Amino acid sequence: MGRMISEDLYHVPRTCKECGGVLVFKGVGEYKCEDCGAKDYDDYGKVRQYIEEHKGATAAQIENAIGVPQRTIRQMLKDGRLEVSSDSRVFLQCEVCGKLIRYGQYCPECETAVHRNIEAEERERRKKDFQGLGKGQIGDEGQKRFVRNGS
């Protein structure tokens, strides 16, 4: 939904474990040392790599194998960075209607409704912000907004 991912949440590596050099982001949770070329991964990269090698692994299995907390894995699912496999017995629930979903916070129908509500609130807020910029307030019709002093 457009929010920034907390780097602390995913334990983003900054320096190379091999030589102490600067790690440069290469994509999909992977970082490469600009000095020696060694690779390292943030939690997302570790989880993604583990899932690719162990299809259908549960959050508990992932945590036991690589040490990334289940809470972090659940946040990745809510952020839409990971998806529950279609053959899983465990799914997420839409936070509005409770429908079973594979990623995110809302089912497609509720996602649309949530965004429409946000858009309506923004329109209402903007409408209030623009009141008083001319006509629109009771008794203001045709009155001057500014008067010169001493003229």
Side-chain angles (χ1 to χ4, degrees), residues 72-83:
T72 302
I73 296 167
R74 280 191 299 273
Q75 188 61 49
M76 289 178 198
L77 288 163
K78 282 185 171 189
D79 290 344
R81 293 175 60 95
L82 296 176
E83 187 174 306

Side-chain angles (χ1 to χ4, degrees), residues 7-83:
E7 291 182 352
D8 292 338
L9 176 66
Y10 293 155
H11 300 97
V12 174
R14 298 282 178 226
T15 56
C16 179
K17 293 175 186 172
E18 305 294 322
C19 72
V22 175
L23 291 173
V24 178
F25 180 70
K26 292 298 181 182
V28 207
E30 182 180 314
Y31 299 79
K32 188 174 182 180
C33 178
E34 63 183 8
D35 294 333
C36 73
K39 290 183 182 178
D40 201 354
Y41 299 89
D42 62 14
D43 286 351
Y44 172 69
K46 292 174 188 173
V47 169
R48 184 179 164 106
Q49 191 173 36
Y50 186 83
I51 289 172
E52 287 175 2
E53 296 169 5
H54 303 89
K55 296 197 185 313
T58 65
Q61 292 168 333
I62 295 168
E63 180 179 35
N64 289 336
I66 61 174
V68 175
Q70 291 183 49
R71 174 188 44 159
T72 302
I73 296 167
R74 280 191 299 273
Q75 188 61 49
M76 289 178 198
L77 288 163
K78 282 185 171 189
D79 290 344
R81 293 175 60 95
L82 296 176
E83 187 174 306

